[in-house]
Structures are given as structure tokens and as C-alpha cells.
Amino acid sequence: MAGALLENVERQTRLAGHNRVAMLLFRLGDEQLFGINVFKVREVLRRPPLERMPGAHALIAGSCDYRGQTIPVIDLAAALGYPALIEEPSAHLMVTEFSRTVQGFLVSDLKNMVHCEGESLVAPSAALGFGPRVNAVTRINGALVAVVDVEHVLASIDGAPGELSTQMQRAAGAHTLRPRRVLVADDSVVARRRLISIFQQMNIECVVAQDGREALDRLNALADGDPEEGVNLVVSDIEMPRLDGYALTRAIRETPTLRRLKVVLHSSLSGLFNEAMVREVNADRFIAKFQPDLLAQAVIDLLPEEGEG
């Protein structure tokens, strides 16, 4: 069953770059549907035997062998406020790759693969009660689907490094970048905080957008305003509600007043397919999350220095 669900991922790749999202749906304990981008899912298996890990975070159900590699297994139900699945023999293991790391998530009920328009994904109202670990919602055939902010879940377990090395801080200080402002677009509050922190360490101001549509609106407004208040560089997530990073980059390249902006796509998505898409939409760089020094170096490379045209 799991293999059948994922065997057509190749056909879903044509959706990317056109503001359409392919998601794998699952449940965590009741009728509520949750979703995750299929490009982050390596495989779905029946729950294997788990080895308990003394002293591990409360959300870590254990570890298991996955194709010769020992990976941590996170109880996604517990992370989203549902009864833990650690003792549930019918649970499934969803093996994922985020930011070049592999981990498993326990889910209770695997459903089907669907795709939706990016414009249909919106930030959830607080009244829905999902909390910070859901960063978008949509409706599929009338049913509400909540998209899990896996970055938030992972950060709560093992926060990624957010500090620049001393060497990189010195390198950033030695460059007279202008203007010292970048636009950051990311729907994850954890990612935005980390990016702002990185740029603060470089003495660079951030204009912040929570999705691609807001980013495009902000960029158009800045292009019509005072050049001294503008930006020369955009650092954008790929997966975002309303307008994803691929579509945002396309829109920038197709807008005469914006097309000269430098664009860095900064995402937990990885692999050859993503690299090909980055080239197709004509982004300047791709940096996998979270690698502060690599991101800082890309900014130094791409932002013009004082006196450059």
C-alpha cells in the first residue's frame, strides 16, 4: 500500500514550479487530515521495532534501522497534541528527508496523495486551534487539511545552529554591502527567527514576508518607493502558502522592475530535482537549511558593495 502511494511521485514533479503542491495525507488520531510535501517523503513503512533511547527528548519514540542507517523516530501525534503512538502497533513510519537529514515520523493512518493549487494554501486562523506546528491549511474535496510545520517540530527537539562562525562574522563586517537590507520570505516562524538572527549578526536589516504573495507585494511596493529603502536580494523558502518560492522567483524574473534582484532559495527540500528546478526558475543560489555560514557567504557574494553599479 505504502509503495503504491508513493510510486507516482515522479509524475507529480511537473506540478512544482507552477505553484501547485503534491501532498501525502495522513491522520494522527481522529478524523482531522494532515499533509506533508511528498518530495520530503522517502518511504512509508509499517512501524518497525523501535529501540528506546535513554535521555532522549520526550517526542523521540526511539530509533530504528532504515536501510542500514540508524534514524530517530519522532512521535508526530504527540508533537501535535494527540495521544502518543509509541505503543500503537498499527502505526505507520513515514521516513522523511529534511535539510539533508533523515528521520522517521509515527503517524496513525496513512491516506492518499493529492495535489492542490498553491493559492488555496493559507495561514491557519488561531480559532482553528492547531497551534504553531501547523503553518497552512487548505480544503481537499471539502475536507480541511492541515499542513505540518515539520521545521518547528524538529527545532523543538534539536535546534539547528543559528550562530555564524567568528570567521564569517569578520568576513561580513569587512564588506561594505549596500543597501544592508534583504527581503526574507518564509512561512515558518522558526525559520524567520533564525534568518533574522543570522542577518542581525551581519548587520543586515530584514524586510519580512510570511509567504510568496506577501513577498511579491512588498517587492513591488519597494520598487516604487525610495531606492535607499529598497533591497537587492531576496532569501526565500520554497514551500509557502499562496505563492511558493519557485513561483515567486518566476514572478520576479518576469517583472521588469524586479528582474535584476538576486534570489537565494533557502529550503529543507533537497536533491537533484530541486537543483534542476532552481536552475529552471533562474534563481541565483540554492542553500539547504540551516547552514548559516553558507547562507552568509552567498549574501556576501551576491550583494553589491558600496560603489558597485
Side-chain angles (χ1 to χ4, degrees):
M1 172 187 173
L5 280 170
L6 296 177
E7 65 184 2
N8 65 340
V9 168
E10 282 285 326
R11 288 183 289 140
Q12 299 296 332
T13 60
R14 70 181 185 275
L15 301 177
H18 299 281
N19 206 34
R20 303 183 74 192
V21 182
M23 289 192 296
L24 183 62
L25 302 186
F26 54 91
R27 292 192 173 103
L28 294 174
D30 60 14
E31 292 304 305
Q32 176 59 54
L33 286 171
F34 291 88
I36 185 174
N37 190 310
V38 297
F39 295 119
K40 292 182 175 178
V41 180
R42 281 193 172 188
E43 197 169 358
V44 179
L45 308 166
R46 281 289 183 183
R47 177 186 176 220
L50 299 180
E51 298 178 359
R52 297 299 177 91
M53 301 166 64
H57 190 279
L59 294 180
I60 300 289
S63 66
C64 72
D65 177 78
Y66 172 69
R67 303 190 179 279
Q69 178 183 2
T70 299
I71 64 170
V73 176
I74 298 162
D75 192 329
L76 193 55
L80 271 293
Y82 287 86
L85 294 173
I86 188 170
E87 304 295 346
E88 178 52 62
S90 65
H92 287 81
L93 178 70
M94 187 166 60
V95 182
T96 67
E97 182 175 354
F98 284 82
S99 302
R100 305 181 305 168
T101 66
V102 178
Q103 53 278 308
F105 290 98
L106 290 181
V107 300
S108 62
D109 185 16
L110 193 68
K111 306 305 289 183
N112 57 315
M113 186 187 299
V114 299
H115 61 81
C116 63
E117 299 291 339
E119 289 285 353
S120 73
L121 291 164
V122 296
S125 165
L128 292 175
F130 287 120
R133 291 176 178 167
V134 167
N135 57 1
V137 294
T138 189
R139 287 197 174 270
I140 304 292
N141 297 325
L144 181 68
V145 175
V147 182
V148 178
D149 185 350
V150 180
E151 290 174 16
H152 195 292
V153 176
L154 295 178
S156 69
I157 296 170
D158 183 18
E163 295 294 320
L164 293 178
S165 66
T166 301
Q167 181 180 4
M168 185 53 64
Q169 290 188 47
R170 288 172 180 164
H175 286 256
T176 54
L177 309 175
R178 67 161 182 87
R180 300 190 76 89
R181 301 180 84 209
V182 300
L183 185 138
V184 167
D186 202 303
D187 62 322
S188 170
V189 63
V190 169
R192 291 197 302 272
R193 286 172 181 166
R194 286 177 172 164
L195 288 170
I196 291 169
S197 174
I198 289 169
F199 290 128
Q200 284 177 338
Q201 294 169 58
M202 300 176 70
N203 194 28
I204 292 175
E205 180 185 352
C206 292
V207 178
V208 179
Q210 297 187 32
D211 59 51
R213 176 62 58 193
E214 182 183 350
L216 188 59
D217 291 343
R218 296 292 298 273
L219 289 171
N220 282 318
L222 289 169
D224 293 336
D226 184 349
E228 294 299 317
E229 297 298 316
V231 300
N232 285 329
L233 175 69
V234 176
V235 178
S236 175
D237 188 20
I238 291 176
E239 294 180 278
M240 294 183 291
R242 299 203 296 167
L243 196 69
D244 66 31
Y246 294 135
L248 171 62
T249 306
R250 284 188 189 276
I252 289 171
R253 296 296 179 238
E254 293 169 359
T255 304
T257 56
L258 303 178
R259 62 172 54 136
R260 296 185 64 183
L261 290 174
K262 302 297 185 180
V263 178
V264 175
L265 290 176
H266 182 242
S267 175
S268 54
L269 287 172
S270 59
L272 293 176
F273 163 75
N274 186 59
E275 294 171 9
M277 282 303 307
V278 168
R279 290 192 297 270
E280 182 175 328
V281 300
N282 201 21
D284 295 281
R285 295 283 177 86
F286 169 77
I287 305 293
K289 293 179 177 176
F290 281 98
Q291 301 177 89
D293 277 16
L294 288 182
L295 179 60
Q297 186 61 59
V299 171
I300 291 171
D301 292 344
L302 294 172
L303 273 181
E305 292 201 62
E306 199 72 52
E308 293 182 0

